[in-house]
Amino acid sequence: MSKKDVKNYYDYQDKKRNIKYHVKQAFNKSLSMFKYHNLPDTLPQKFLELFLQRNGYVGIIKENDNLYCLNGGLGGTPDMYNEPTTFIVSNPYLKLNKEYIINQDCVIIDNDMLRNGMTETFNKYATFLTENEISMMIASINTRINSILSAGDSNTIASAKEFINQIEAGKLAVIADNAFLESLKVHNFTQSKNADILETLIKMQEYLKSALLNAMGLQANTNLKKERLITSEVDMLNYGIYPTVDNMLECRRIGVQKVNDMFGTSIEVEFNSSWDYRYLNGQSIHNVNDEVKINETMGETTEEKPKEESTKKHDETEGTNKDKDTDDNEDTTVDETVTDKKDTE
């Protein structure tokens, strides 16, 4: 097998490579969780989010009148809450090897309150998914085995292999030796138990994928016991996924506000993509004033229009009924007047 074939070949036993692949796929999804506005050109969103989610924090510094988001170490004499006071940077490209005083020379933006990041979470589920895929692959291969052949001598083994090769090639095979049949033994291999194992592994795989999405704040059903879920059960699943991503958004808003105050920028951050719409009364989460106004206006118009239309229809119906009643009363009065005149005559 050539090097090119090895590169494109999926080796289910290569755990390190497969775990790395699952982690990359998870980051590909989570890196679109937030959307930034008014970022300087030297602060690309891709690396800002990558450093935050991978390391748990990122440092924002200003050099040569440009803002940069860089990796670095936290140190210095801890403050009263045992928090670091300096940010240590070593960047050969910018020729930097210095310490910055936090909240004085630089700003530290946290991914979450405890600076955990997403790497450990992704590694955890990537390991589970990889191990389960190995089990699925082995169980899938075992489904090919319908029977097991055993022979007592080399001649019978060679004849059995030739017989199987002829059948695989689509040719009719003939057994001419009775010794072959007497020496060869066929053991039936039941597939029912293997099929149950494979079904369980598939459910496990779906559960792990759903749990990983939930860890990223995306709604995915982890309840595999029911075909249908009622509204309250769906809401319970949703409520459990919000705290982590809300924590991440709040940390970014706090960090971005510090950057704006220190460096005079106007950066804003909000949820993006599938995280933007929350199934709580159909309301979208925004922190940009223009978008909030637009959404509120759209919400008011969509809610008020049906009421106005229904009110108009109700008024028109009442007016029509009143007109009919008036006409009926007038007709009755006229009939009574004619009757009275006839009686008088």
Side-chain angles (χ1 to χ4, degrees):
M1 187 178 293
S2 64
K3 292 183 178 179
K4 183 178 180 181
D5 293 335
V6 171
K7 184 178 179 181
N8 297 327
Y9 172 69
Y10 172 69
D11 184 3
Y12 68 93
Q13 294 180 330
D14 191 347
K15 292 185 180 181
K16 289 185 178 180
R17 180 181 177 184
N18 296 333
I19 290 173
K20 187 177 181 180
Y21 167 78
H22 284 300
V23 171
K24 284 184 176 180
Q25 286 296 96
F27 272 119
N28 274 335
K29 293 183 178 70
S30 65
L31 287 178
S32 61
M33 187 183 302
F34 299 100
K35 179 169 62 176
Y36 291 81
H37 301 272
N38 307 321
L39 277 176
D41 295 336
T42 54
L43 279 180
Q45 177 174 328
K46 170 185 174 181
F47 293 104
L48 177 61
E49 274 300 311
L50 181 61
F51 295 158
L52 276 169
Q53 296 186 26
R54 189 173 63 186
N55 304 324
Y57 65 91
V58 68
I60 308 297
I61 65 169
K62 188 172 186 179
E63 290 290 337
N64 301 322
D65 294 330
N66 291 322
L67 293 179
Y68 299 100
C69 57
L70 300 177
N71 284 325
L74 301 177
T77 303
D79 62 11
M80 73 289 290
Y81 299 111
N82 204 32
E83 287 289 300
T85 56
T86 61
F87 179 58
I88 307 166
V89 177
S90 178
N91 190 296
Y93 183 83
L94 296 176
K95 298 179 181 180
L96 292 177
N97 190 7
K98 58 187 290 189
E99 292 186 4
Y100 296 85
I101 300 176
I102 298 176
N103 295 330
Q104 182 175 329
D105 303 325
C106 70
V107 172
I108 299 298
I109 303 178
D110 296 329
N111 179 74
D112 49 84
M113 294 295 182
L114 298 180
R115 302 191 183 104
N116 287 328
M118 304 296 291
T119 303
E120 291 186 7
T121 300
F122 292 165
N123 282 334
K124 169 187 171 183
Y125 286 105
T127 302
F128 272 112
L129 288 168
T130 301
E131 294 291 347
N132 195 67
E133 284 175 353
I134 294 174
S135 300
M136 288 174 61
M137 182 67 75
I138 294 173
S140 177
I141 293 174
N142 286 338
T143 58
R144 303 174 186 175
I145 303 174
N146 295 319
S147 60
I148 300 175
L149 304 179
S150 63
D153 56 82
S154 58
N155 291 331
T156 306
I157 293 174
S159 299
K161 288 182 178 179
E162 179 63 22
F163 177 77
I164 293 174
N165 290 334
Q166 293 291 330
I167 296 298
E168 183 180 359
K171 300 178 181 179
L172 295 177
V174 178
I175 301 174
D177 190 1
N178 291 332
F180 174 77
L181 295 175
E182 293 175 357
S183 178
L184 184 67
K185 295 181 180 180
V186 180
H187 307 274
N188 292 327
F189 186 79
T190 57
Q191 293 289 345
S192 58
K193 186 176 181 180
N194 186 68
D196 294 338
I197 294 174
L198 187 58
E199 183 180 357
T200 302
L201 292 173
I202 293 174
K203 289 182 178 179
M204 181 67 172
Q205 191 77 356
E206 294 304 313
Y207 170 80
L208 291 172
K209 289 180 180 179
S210 298
L212 175 58
L213 292 175
N214 286 346
M216 289 190 284
L218 293 174
Q219 199 282 331
N221 181 26
T222 56
N223 189 339
L224 304 178
K225 296 182 180 180
K226 294 183 178 181
E227 295 181 358
R228 300 176 182 85
L229 296 176
I230 61 176
T231 304
S232 60
E233 290 175 329
V234 175
D235 291 339
M236 289 177 63
L237 293 173
N238 291 341
Y239 296 151
I241 67 178
Y242 293 149
T244 300
V245 292
D246 287 346
N247 183 355
M248 294 170 66
L249 177 61
E250 183 63 19
C251 287
R252 282 161 175 75
R253 285 177 172 172
I254 293 172
V256 162
Q257 187 59 48
K258 290 181 179 180
V259 172
N260 292 337
D261 294 341
M262 181 176 294
F263 302 112
T265 55
S266 58
I267 303 171
E268 293 178 321
V269 61
E270 63 175 330
F271 279 127
N272 187 38
S273 186
S274 299
W275 291 268
D276 183 52
Y277 187 82
R278 177 167 293 183
Y279 291 95
L280 290 177
N281 298 324
Q283 294 181 358
S284 181
I285 300 176
H286 296 278
N287 72 313
V288 181
N289 292 331
D290 294 338
E291 293 183 352
V292 173
K293 290 177 181 178
I294 292 172
N295 287 331
E296 288 179 352
T297 304
M298 290 176 64
E300 290 174 2
T301 54
T302 53
E303 291 178 0
E304 290 178 358
K305 278 185 177 179
K307 292 182 180 179
E308 292 176 357
E309 291 178 359
S310 61
T311 304
K312 287 180 180 179
K313 289 182 180 179
H314 181 69
D315 293 340
E316 290 175 358
T317 304
E318 286 188 348
T320 304
N321 292 334
K322 287 181 180 179
D323 293 339
K324 287 183 178 179
D325 294 340
T326 304
D327 295 338
D328 293 340
N329 291 335
E330 290 177 355
D331 293 340
T332 305
T333 305
V334 172
D335 292 339
E336 290 178 353
T337 305
V338 173
T339 304
D340 291 340
K341 287 182 178 181
K342 286 182 179 181
D343 293 339
T344 305
E345 291 175 358

